[in-house]
Amino acid sequence: MKLTKTIAFTLMASVAVAGCGEGAGGGGSRDSIRAVGSSTVYPFAKQVAESFARSNPDFKSPLIESTGSGGGLKLFCSGEGPDTPDMANASRRIKASEFDTCVSNGVTDIIELQVGLDGIAFAAAQNGISLNLSPRIVYEALAKSPYGGEQTNTTWADVDPSLPAEPILVYGPPSTSGTRDALKELVLEAGCKTNPEMSALKEEDEDRYDQVCTEVRSDGAYVDQSEQDNLIVQKIENDPGAVGVFGFSYLDENADKVKGLPMNGVDPTYDNIASFAYPGARPLYVYVKKNHMRAIPGLDLYLQEWVKNWAPGGSLADIGLVSSPADELAANAAKVNDQITLTKADLEAPAAE
C-alpha cells in the first residue's frame, strides 16, 4: 500500500512538473517544500529557505516546522507522499530503529547530509552564576541516580567544593529533543564513565547502565522546557542562579544576554567547536526523501542552497552554524549532486566528525 502510494505520488508530481515547466507549481496536491524537526537546526533551515526564495522567486517558500528531532523523524518516517514531510532536520544522527521504521513504511531512499556542527552549550545570565563545569560535575548534578546511588546533591558545592553553594537549577531540552540526546551521549555518559565501576556495569547489564548513566533527575533541579530554545534563554536571563542547556547558535545569538560556561576549562566558542576541543561538539543533520526530489518542485534547488551557504564565511556561519571540516563539506556536497542514499551499514559505522 505504501509503495503503491509512493509510486503514484511520484508519477503524478513528475507529470505535473513536466507539464507546467520547471519553475511552475505541481507536485500533486502539494507544490512547496516541507521540512520538520530540530529546533536547533530550525534557524539555519529558515535562513536557507529565505535564501532559496530570493534566488528562486518562481517557487513557493519552503515551510519549516520546529517539532524536535525525534518528532520530526517520526513524521518523516511515516511514509512517502504529499501528506508527509520531504525533509527532517535533526540535531543528532538518525537511529537504526528510526531507519528501520522508515524502511518498513516505504521510505527506503534517504539522503543524509551533515550540514554543520553545533555545541551543547551550558550558559547563565551575563550577571549570573559562574561555573567551571566538566562532564563529571554535570553528571553528578543532574543524574537521577549517580553511579547507581541516591541523588543527594542540592547545591553545586555538594558536587564539587570549588563551586558556589548555590542551588542546582538547570533548564534544558525535553526528552523528544536531539539536544537532549546529545546531552546524554556527549556529557552525561562521559561523566558517568569517570567511575571505573560503570564499565563493569555496562558489561553486566547494558539497560541498567543506560538508566544509571543517562536518566535525568525529576525533582525540580532539572526542568524540561519546550522545543523552543529561546524560552530557556529567557528563563536564565531572568534568574541569575539558573543554568541553561541549548545549542551554541542560541548562545551566539544571545551573547548580549547570556554567557557560556566552560567545560573542562574550554569555552563554547566557534573555534573550539570546529576543532572538537569543546566536549559538547556535535554534527547537525538534514534527511531528505530521494523520491520527493522528483516530486516536489524546487527541492533539489533548496538542497543546493544549503551547499552554497554552509561554508565558513557563509550566511549560516553569520547566525551561529559552525562549518564542518572541508573534506566533510565536499563529501556532503557530493551527496546532494549525486543523490547518494543512506544505508543501514552507514549507520553502523562511526558518525563523521
Side-chain angles (χ1 to χ4, degrees):
M1 186 73 176
K2 291 282 187 182
L3 184 58
T4 302
K5 181 179 178 182
T6 298
I7 293 172
F9 165 61
T10 303
L11 290 174
M12 176 176 62
S14 298
V15 170
V17 174
C20 296
E22 184 180 359
S29 61
R30 181 159 57 81
D31 58 0
S32 62
I33 298 160
R34 181 187 174 205
V36 296
S38 165
S39 62
T40 300
V41 182
Y42 175 81
F44 308 128
K46 285 287 288 183
Q47 175 83 2
V48 174
E50 291 167 7
S51 179
F52 167 86
R54 289 192 297 269
S55 300
N56 302 278
D58 291 336
F59 291 100
K60 289 187 176 181
S61 183
L63 174 64
I64 315 296
E65 301 173 54
S66 178
T67 63
S69 297
L73 285 164
K74 183 176 181 180
L75 291 168
F76 178 83
C77 289
S78 65
E80 292 190 343
D83 57 342
T84 68
D86 312 306
M87 305 175 63
N89 305 318
S91 54
R92 46 90 173 163
R93 201 174 196 193
I94 190 171
K95 299 174 183 177
S97 59
E98 292 167 329
F99 183 85
D100 289 341
T101 298
C102 269
V103 171
S104 68
N105 288 330
V107 186
T108 55
D109 292 321
I110 302 169
I111 300 169
E112 176 189 68
L113 303 176
Q114 182 184 306
V115 296
L117 306 174
D118 189 36
I120 308 298
F122 289 77
Q126 280 288 354
N127 63 343
I129 191 169
S130 293
L131 300 168
N132 188 3
L133 298 171
S134 69
R136 178 193 64 80
I137 288 171
V138 174
Y139 171 73
E140 292 182 10
L142 298 185
K144 182 174 183 178
S145 179
Y147 313 119
E150 183 182 358
Q151 175 58 273
T152 59
N153 297 315
T154 59
T155 72
W156 292 104
D158 292 336
V159 178
D160 191 302
S162 68
L163 300 178
E166 296 289 335
I168 298 168
L169 177 58
V170 177
Y171 292 97
S175 58
T176 54
S177 168
T179 301
R180 177 71 163 266
D181 289 332
L183 171 65
K184 290 179 178 180
E185 294 170 14
L186 299 176
V187 181
L188 295 178
E189 188 173 359
C192 183
K193 285 179 178 177
T194 60
N195 184 322
E197 294 178 6
M198 295 301 101
S199 296
L201 177 61
K202 187 173 185 178
E203 291 292 328
E204 296 166 6
D205 188 342
E206 190 159 358
D207 289 341
R208 175 62 177 159
Y209 167 84
D210 289 339
Q211 181 183 34
V212 167
C213 286
T214 65
E215 190 171 359
V216 176
R217 63 197 295 178
S218 56
D219 58 0
Y222 181 92
V223 182
D224 275 2
Q225 289 298 293
S226 75
E227 297 286 356
Q228 303 304 318
D229 290 351
N230 277 322
L231 292 179
I232 300 178
V233 173
Q234 294 171 17
K235 287 286 188 180
I236 64 174
E237 184 186 6
N238 296 318
D239 187 343
V243 173
V245 183
F246 39 69
F248 165 75
S249 60
Y250 286 88
L251 172 63
D252 189 57
E253 179 185 346
N254 295 280
D256 58 327
K257 302 173 184 175
V258 298
K259 61 184 179 185
L261 301 175
M263 180 78 67
N264 289 346
V266 179
D267 290 321
T269 66
Y270 183 102
D271 289 341
N272 288 337
I273 293 167
S275 67
F276 287 90
Y278 180 71
R282 59 171 174 173
L284 302 178
Y285 296 93
V286 164
Y287 293 93
V288 189
K289 294 172 183 172
K290 183 176 178 178
N291 283 340
H292 284 214
M293 296 277 283
R294 298 190 295 271
I296 300 298
L299 182 55
D300 56 339
L301 297 177
Y302 178 65
L303 297 189
Q304 289 291 348
E305 208 67 35
W306 273 100
V307 176
K308 291 179 189 176
N309 288 279
W310 66 24
S315 68
L316 295 178
D318 291 341
I319 60 170
L321 184 73
V322 178
S323 294
S324 298
D327 59 343
E328 195 63 41
L329 291 178
N332 283 278
K335 291 180 184 179
V336 171
N337 293 328
D338 300 333
Q339 297 186 17
I340 301 168
T341 56
L342 181 69
T343 69
K344 187 72 173 288
D346 295 329
L347 290 177
E348 293 168 352
E353 292 192 355

